[in-house]
Amino acid sequence: MIDVRTHYGDLLPSGGTEVAPLPLRPFPELYHDAALTAPTRWLVRDLIPTGRLVLVYAAPKTGKTTYCLHLAVAVASGRPFCGEATDAAPVLVLECEMAEQDTRRWLVSAGATPDTVGERLVTYTGPAPTFAQVLEAVERTGAQVLIIDSLTKYAGWEDENNAAEVERVLGMVDGALRTLTGPRDTVVM
């Protein structure tokens, strides 16, 4: 057995000498786990699975907002997205970067009309809401998809490359949404 403190001590947290073992599973056990054999449900077939947290991340001005607003319109209207089928579902868009006039213009350019999305597409445009306000809005609208534009604005960060902060906020959002009734999908950018 390797003495991990001797060989890798500088990579381990300071303090005790005990290292908690990882819960490893041999592949045959994983393969035969009946709970893992259910077919994947898709928000957008073969692209975005249902009930998962999805992070859209790219350099500034590369189309993240365009992508996510087109996704919102496609899901709210039940139309295909990127050539793949969607099921119509309520969508909540929290827009913390653009003016409301711009949000409207982008959604219309993505194909949103009162006839195509009805009240399945609900938006908020303004300063970043509190976490409690987000949860209340998701519950009130019955949104199955939540799009937050952008995580940087929502969390009030100056450095979106701070992995610990990103993980903390994403974990908080994902965990809280799972406590609400019904399946939820979260698309954060």
Side-chain angles (χ1 to χ4, degrees), residues 39-111:
T40 300
R41 292 181 44 235
W42 296 98
L43 174 65
V44 178
R45 188 176 37 125
D46 295 332
L47 185 62
I48 301 174
T50 298
R52 306 283 172 81
L53 178 67
V54 177
L55 178 62
V56 177
Y57 183 81
K61 305 295 180 197
T62 56
K64 296 180 299 294
T65 296
T66 301
Y67 180 86
C68 287
L69 293 181
H70 277 80
L71 170 66
V73 171
V75 170
S77 65
R79 293 191 319 224
F81 178 73
C82 292
E84 299 296 342
T86 66
D87 291 325
V91 177
L92 173 59
V93 176
L94 302 178
E95 181 53 66
C96 303
E97 290 191 331
M98 293 192 292
E100 194 165 41
Q101 173 182 351
D102 296 329
T103 301
R104 179 193 179 281
R105 182 175 46 80
W106 282 66
L107 289 169
V108 168
S109 73

Side-chain angles (χ1 to χ4, degrees), residues 15-176:
T17 58
E18 293 298 313
V19 175
L22 292 174
L24 303 175
R25 294 180 74 183
F27 180 72
E29 180 184 317
L30 187 70
Y31 182 82
H32 293 293
D33 187 335
L36 304 177
T37 60
T40 300
R41 292 181 44 235
W42 296 98
L43 174 65
V44 178
R45 188 176 37 125
D46 295 332
L47 185 62
I48 301 174
T50 298
R52 306 283 172 81
L53 178 67
V54 177
L55 178 62
V56 177
Y57 183 81
K61 305 295 180 197
T62 56
K64 296 180 299 294
T65 296
T66 301
Y67 180 86
C68 287
L69 293 181
H70 277 80
L71 170 66
V73 171
V75 170
S77 65
R79 293 191 319 224
F81 178 73
C82 292
E84 299 296 342
T86 66
D87 291 325
V91 177
L92 173 59
V93 176
L94 302 178
E95 181 53 66
C96 303
E97 290 191 331
M98 293 192 292
E100 194 165 41
Q101 173 182 351
D102 296 329
T103 301
R104 179 193 179 281
R105 182 175 46 80
W106 282 66
L107 289 169
V108 168
S109 73
T113 69
D115 293 333
T116 59
V117 299
E119 294 188 9
R120 288 182 305 276
L121 178 58
V122 179
T123 65
Y124 164 81
T125 304
T130 66
F131 193 61
Q133 289 173 311
V134 171
L135 293 178
E136 184 280 329
V138 168
E139 192 70 17
R140 179 168 31 112
T141 62
Q144 292 177 359
V145 177
L146 169 63
I147 295 176
I148 302 172
D149 182 13
S150 78
L151 186 61
T152 302
K153 292 282 186 186
Y154 176 72
W157 300 328
E158 293 202 16
D159 181 9
E160 63 191 25
N161 295 315
N162 182 328
E165 280 298 299
V166 171
E167 185 175 333
R168 183 185 66 76
V169 171
L170 290 178
M172 183 175 69
V173 170
D174 191 41

Side-chain angles (χ1 to χ4, degrees), residues 172-186:
M172 183 175 69
V173 170
D174 191 41
L177 290 175
R178 290 181 189 282
T179 66
L180 299 175
T181 58
R184 306 279 188 226
D185 297 291
T186 308

